[in-house]
Amino acid sequence: MKNLFTAASLAGLLAAGALLSSCTKESMEPAGSAPTLVTTKSSSDATIANGVMMQGFYWDVPMSTAAGTWWQNLGAKATELKAAGITALWIPPAYKGSSKFDVGYGVYDRYDLGEFNQKGTVATRYGTIGQLQSAIGALHGQGIQVYEDMVMNHLTSADNQELANNQYNVYTSFTYPGRNNTYSNYKWHWYNFSATQQAPNNGWYQWAAYDFQPYANNDAYDNLLGSEIRYNDINNANETINWSNWITTKLNLDGYRLDATKHIQTTYLNRWLDNAKTSGRFVVSEAWFRNLSDMNNYAAATGGRTNLFDVPLHYTFADMSNGNGSWDMRGLQFAGFTEANGALSVSFVDNHDTDHTTGALFSPVSNLKMLAYAYILTREKGYPCVFYKDYYEYGLGAQIKKLIQIRQANAYGAATEYTSTNDADVYAYSRAGDATRKGLLLLLNDGGSSRSKGITTPFKNATLTDQTGNVSGIITTDGNGYATFSVPARSYAVWVPTGGTTTPPPTSGTTAVTFNVTYSNTTSGQDVYVVGSTTQLGSWNAANAKKLSGAAYPKWSGTVNLTSGTAVQYKYIRKDAAGNVLWEGGNNRSFTPTGTTATRTDTWQ
């Protein structure tokens, strides 16, 4: 969420109390002048091997579905999401908002996950804490990671009014009587905030300096909505980190989506990223900068600690959509933050804000949307995010699923931009493949008639078919990889060499893997477990981790049968009988089991 409301809609909500590896290039042409930036990022198995995340909600999702609440709906879809190739799900803010109707961004109590009778309801808009935990368990059981939406900028709908700085009578007293100090006894009062935005005139009442001055041509600024948290206050800073670590453990989270970060003090955000439980977990921030230079500057300011949504690329797609056939498709060449810093980019087509008709960020990709999805799902760079509403509500699921299958089977190897071949209507892009996967050739056409293009591909003396089903027939290239390829009007094609599959190659057999780890930082009642990315290793769910024997302490050992030939990510954890968990720090460990037996010998410092 960022600048979500128009002034009129925000006023109405307040008044109602409901506020809530670089590309190669044809003919060796220069690849552009994008700056080199820090590209360090958190490790996550969902981003490895062409993973795809899904935003698992949209604005004002129904409070009741065929499966029950929204949490129950997501849990019921775990199996089909796995089959679709979704490797991670971004869920909405899980904590209590201003009412049962609040979509989560009007944060009231971050420790109430649908457990306490507050604001006239126990459940949040999405359901109860038990339903949420069951949904996460179902998703983890299918190997799907879960990213929580972290709203850290503000609070709304206080319990009581108080006099701020002897100036203003404002609603800034958050004492949470319904929770009665469960999980935390931290209370919020006017001195914890710098300002608040309240009815009846929707005005700002400010009594302390904002944490930072506007920058990026005033596009980044502190005050967004509600009561603005002062992160210059070390107590607020520490409390938010404590809450973040609590919710990570409570929900067994695999990562985070950080809301409206251009409205949060950057030095504090960096401290949060360094001190919250982000090690081994994925983090992506919503820093809504339309300008690519601002995106690059923000990536540098955060030191590569967090991935960023590719907002400039979204607006490129929006321009294509608005052109509806008249836009120059060469604008897709080397486009967006994804090209400038692919290791930190999360590419997307639309989200809950861009699709929200009365929101300030309304900018939907209404036309030619599948061309945009074909672009991000075959790209060498970026971690693509699919929008739930596109997949389920707008009827694009079958097409998106097919593209994800093509991505996971064939989108590998060096990339080529065909700048001397592309024209105003047709964009071409290829992936050369690797030792075991055949690669692909993508063609996008926004024009009103079908087109053919002569292209020198990486595939010499090869036969290719369009795996999307949009074009029939077989194309054969010559000894230089050249052939003429077709693409329908206002559509796309992904040509794959014969032998390239649209589903990942099957594996057979198992490998008995013995895990040996030396670890001495335990006391009586504590044991060491191994947990990882496959179902045999618990799908990153600490409750399903495999216990190791400490008979040869400080060496802990155990054997697990893993699928041969399937890449594995894993870590060690320490757990006691009460379920308290300590995760090993650093990047995920990884290997591919082969043979009948294998041994992993590790040290956990």
Side-chain angles (χ1 to χ4, degrees), residues 452-467:
S452 295
K453 281 284 186 180
I455 299 174
T456 300
T457 74
F459 317 117
K460 299 177 181 179
N461 298 314
T463 58
L464 296 92
T465 58
D466 170 34
Q467 295 293 320

Side-chain angles (χ1 to χ4, degrees), residues 21 37-42 47 282-283 304 306-308 337-346 380-383:
S21 62
L37 298 173
V38 179
T39 56
T40 303
K41 69 175 183 178
S42 299
T47 69
F282 180 78
V283 186
T306 174
N307 286 57
L308 301 173
F337 185 68
T338 296
E339 179 60 33
N341 198 336
L344 291 180
S345 177
V346 172
E380 179 187 24
K381 297 180 180 181
Y383 178 21

Side-chain angles (χ1 to χ4, degrees), residues 45 82 140-144 507-515 529-548 558-571 591-595:
D45 76 294
K82 170 69 172 180
H140 281 165
Q142 293 297 322
I144 298 172
T507 59
S508 61
T510 59
T511 302
V513 180
T514 299
F515 292 89
Y529 297 70
V530 61
V531 63
S533 57
T534 66
T535 54
Q536 298 103 321
L537 289 176
S539 299
W540 294 117
N541 188 341
N544 298 326
K546 304 304 177 183
K547 186 176 180 179
L548 304 180
T559 301
V560 183
N561 290 324
L562 302 179
T563 303
S564 302
T566 297
V568 173
Q569 297 273 314
Y570 71 98
K571 278 190 169 182
F591 76 108
T592 301
T594 57

Side-chain angles (χ1 to χ4, degrees), residues 192-208:
N192 298 114
F193 308 107
S194 54
T196 189
Q197 184 185 33
Q198 297 187 354
N201 61 1
N202 200 30
W204 282 98
Y205 301 88
Q206 182 182 359
W207 50 87

Side-chain angles (χ1 to χ4, degrees), residues 22-259:
S22 61
C23 294
T24 60
K25 194 145 183 238
E26 184 184 32
S27 304
M28 300 299 289
E29 297 174 20
S33 58
T36 300
L37 298 173
V38 179
T39 56
T40 303
K41 69 175 183 178
S42 299
S43 173
S44 170
D45 76 294
T47 69
I48 296 170
N50 287 355
V52 178
M53 66 183 281
M54 174 183 276
Q55 178 179 0
F57 65 102
Y58 52 93
W59 201 263
D60 286 338
V61 299
M63 297 176 67
S64 177
T65 73
T69 66
W70 194 254
W71 295 142
Q72 291 172 315
N73 173 61
L74 294 181
K77 284 182 162 50
T79 300
E80 65 185 82
L81 291 174
K82 170 69 172 180
I86 299 301
T87 54
L89 194 71
W90 156 26
I91 64 173
Y95 22 91
K96 189 66 57 70
S98 58
S99 74
K100 66 179 180 180
F101 303 108
D102 195 286
V103 297
Y105 296 104
V107 184
Y108 165 65
D109 186 356
R110 299 186 293 194
Y111 285 98
D112 184 354
L113 306 179
E115 185 176 4
F116 304 98
N117 188 358
Q118 300 188 106
K119 297 301 172 184
T121 179
V122 173
T124 68
R125 182 185 189 93
Y126 308 108
T128 65
I129 183 173
Q131 293 165 350
L132 171 57
Q133 290 173 321
S134 293
I136 292 174
L139 292 162
H140 281 165
Q142 293 297 322
I144 298 172
Q145 295 193 331
V146 175
Y147 305 155
E148 165 65 338
D149 200 318
M150 308 291 278
V151 185
M152 300 187 289
N153 178 74
H154 55 267
L155 298 176
T156 74
S157 303
D159 296 302
N160 292 291
Q161 196 174 35
E162 56 190 356
L163 183 62
N165 201 34
N166 292 317
Q167 292 178 279
Y168 309 111
N169 284 308
V170 287
Y171 283 93
T172 51
S173 175
F174 295 82
T175 56
Y176 311 117
R179 179 162 51 82
N180 193 27
N181 295 325
T182 305
Y183 303 129
S184 171
N185 60 6
Y186 198 86
K187 307 296 190 296
W188 299 81
H189 295 284
W190 66 268
Y191 46 80
N192 298 114
F193 308 107
S194 54
T196 189
Q197 184 185 33
Q198 297 187 354
N201 61 1
N202 200 30
W204 282 98
Y205 301 88
Q206 182 182 359
W207 50 87
Y210 290 123
D211 287 332
F212 62 92
Q213 294 300 309
Y215 64 95
N217 197 28
N218 294 324
D219 189 32
Y221 53 92
D222 196 350
N223 55 311
L224 175 63
L225 63 92
S227 295
E228 288 286 320
I229 297 174
R230 293 180 57 242
Y231 283 118
N232 279 333
D233 184 330
I234 191 64
N235 295 314
N236 294 341
N238 290 340
E239 163 61 15
T240 300
I241 290 171
N242 291 339
W243 162 74
S244 301
N245 291 339
W246 170 84
I247 196 172
T248 298
T249 302
K250 189 75 173 177
L251 298 180
N252 192 19
L253 297 174
D254 305 291
Y256 316 93
R257 179 264 189 186
L258 308 185
D259 179 64

